[in-house]
Amino acid sequence: MAAVTRLLRPNLRNKNKKEFVFRSITSELTREENEQENEFRVLNLRSAQQRDVKKRQYKKADVPPPRTHKMATDQDWTAVWPAPRSFHPASVPLPIRQGYVEKGSAPSKFANAELMKIPNFLHLTPPAVKQHCEALKKFCNPWPKGLETAEKWKNHFPIDVVTTDYCQALPTIRNPEARRVKLSIKLTDLKFDPHAKDKFLRLVGERYNRETGLVTIVADRCPLRKQNYDHAMYLLTACYHESFTTEPWEATKSEADMEYYHYDRNKSKESVEAILNWGKTPATEDEKLKATKGFITCLEQLINEGENEYNLNKYKEEVIKMLNIGGKDK
């Protein structure tokens, strides 16, 4: 019995191996069939022919050299840059650089965004401005005769008007500061008598500069420049005509009420004439000795303007001359 078992054992082992291989193959086939059944199959009614599609090749165009290499030195620049435009490096024959680099020089003009951002004035070169002026000459009138120099301008147009225009990057072009008007005129260009001059200076007050002799009126109360200009002209005209007006109470003013020193209306006139006519008995008023015009002017200037080196020396000279001190005859 043991011998029969030894003979049959190898056959049983081979049979088990074959059975295991067969079962594994069967399970794999069953798995593939299940996957094929679960996969969604596409119905292709029209078979597409597969063709080899070649990619389109783009040829890069040859970039010509910059225009500046062909420009002549005596060319007409107004034909190259006739109007305002953004900066173009190939059209400007100048080695322009702009920008900031930590190390090295500033970027060149090619592909430089900084040069394209800012406005340029390449269209306003001297030759271009000259051409514009020549084209506008036919629309202009000849310069009026008698105004060849600045002195003649001042004689005919003594009033200076100063206004300011602003250029700004805002939604509106209007600037509230542009409404201000500054009007100035020299006091010597206005004709006054002594009473009118004193009254005019009192009306304008601090608007008169004694060092420059200018009367300045600044108007900015109105919203428009034209309105402020009319207002400033009105103020100047009103002050000028009002200065010539004499009120009835002004004739009753005494010496203590005077705003300034006036020789003819002061008691010093009697004192000076008494000194000059000391020991003399003139028969008529015309024979009396009177103060000279130079002395009167220096005395009024000394008292009205105050004591300084010039006024004191001038007053001293006029007193010596009037009293004939030094033994010299008049």
Side-chain angles (χ1 to χ4, degrees), residues 109-148:
K109 61 182 180 179
F110 293 98
N112 194 329
E114 297 296 331
L115 287 172
M116 291 187 288
K117 287 192 297 184
I118 62 173
N120 60 76
F121 295 91
L122 296 174
H123 62 288
L124 294 178
T125 55
V129 175
K130 186 177 180 180
Q131 288 186 7
H132 294 171
C133 295
E134 293 294 334
L136 294 174
K137 270 187 178 180
K138 59 183 179 181
F139 301 105
C140 301
N141 297 326
W143 187 259
K145 296 181 181 179
L147 299 176
E148 290 79 11

Side-chain angles (χ1 to χ4, degrees), residues 292-327:
T292 60
K293 293 183 178 180
F295 172 79
I296 296 173
T297 303
C298 291
L299 181 60
E300 291 178 349
Q301 188 175 0
L302 178 64
I303 296 177
N304 292 329
E305 296 182 3
E307 296 183 0
N308 54 54
E309 186 176 357
Y310 174 78
N311 290 339
L312 290 174
N313 292 335
K314 193 69 177 177
Y315 177 73
K316 177 182 176 181
E317 293 175 1
E318 293 296 333
V319 171
I320 293 174
K321 187 188 299 183
M322 183 180 65
L323 297 179
N324 195 19
I325 298 176

Side-chain angles (χ1 to χ4, degrees), residues 251-270:
T252 62
K253 290 193 302 183
S254 63
E255 182 180 349
D257 299 329
M258 296 299 295
E259 297 88 356
Y260 62 96
Y261 176 82
H262 188 65
Y263 177 78
D264 293 332
R265 301 182 64 176
N266 197 279
K267 290 185 178 180
S268 59
K269 178 180 179 182
E270 300 177 2

Side-chain angles (χ1 to χ4, degrees), residues 89-258:
S91 301
V92 182
L94 299 173
I96 302 175
R97 292 179 174 272
Q98 185 169 349
Y100 173 75
V101 180
E102 293 184 358
K103 295 182 179 180
S105 59
S108 64
K109 61 182 180 179
F110 293 98
N112 194 329
E114 297 296 331
L115 287 172
M116 291 187 288
K117 287 192 297 184
I118 62 173
N120 60 76
F121 295 91
L122 296 174
H123 62 288
L124 294 178
T125 55
V129 175
K130 186 177 180 180
Q131 288 186 7
H132 294 171
C133 295
E134 293 294 334
L136 294 174
K137 270 187 178 180
K138 59 183 179 181
F139 301 105
C140 301
N141 297 326
W143 187 259
K145 296 181 181 179
L147 299 176
E148 290 79 11
T149 60
E151 296 179 356
K152 295 181 179 180
W153 302 349
K154 290 293 184 181
N155 293 335
H156 293 278
F157 305 99
I159 300 177
D160 292 336
V161 180
V162 180
T163 58
T164 306
D165 294 321
Y166 295 88
C167 182
Q168 55 190 3
L170 292 177
T172 176
I173 61 174
R174 300 186 182 275
N175 191 300
E177 297 297 328
R179 74 184 190 279
R180 185 175 288 106
V181 176
K182 181 180 178 182
L183 186 147
S184 59
I185 184 173
K186 284 189 175 182
L187 187 65
T188 55
D189 294 332
L190 300 173
K191 297 180 181 180
F192 293 111
D193 55 24
H195 168 266
K197 182 179 179 180
D198 177 72
K199 191 172 183 178
F200 180 82
L201 293 178
R202 294 181 183 277
L203 288 174
V204 297
E206 297 180 354
R207 296 175 181 85
Y208 174 67
N209 190 341
R210 295 185 179 275
E211 297 180 357
T212 60
L214 289 175
V215 178
T216 305
I217 299 176
V218 179
D220 57 355
R221 299 293 183 88
C222 302
L224 299 180
R225 178 187 297 177
K226 181 65 168 58
Q227 296 172 341
N228 286 317
Y229 171 77
D230 295 339
H231 181 57
M233 293 297 296
Y234 166 76
L235 292 176
L236 178 63
T237 305
C239 291
Y240 179 76
H241 290 288
E242 182 65 24
S243 62
F244 288 93
T245 304
T246 303
E247 301 294 337
W249 54 266
E250 294 184 20
T252 62
K253 290 193 302 183
S254 63
E255 182 180 349
D257 299 329
M258 296 299 295

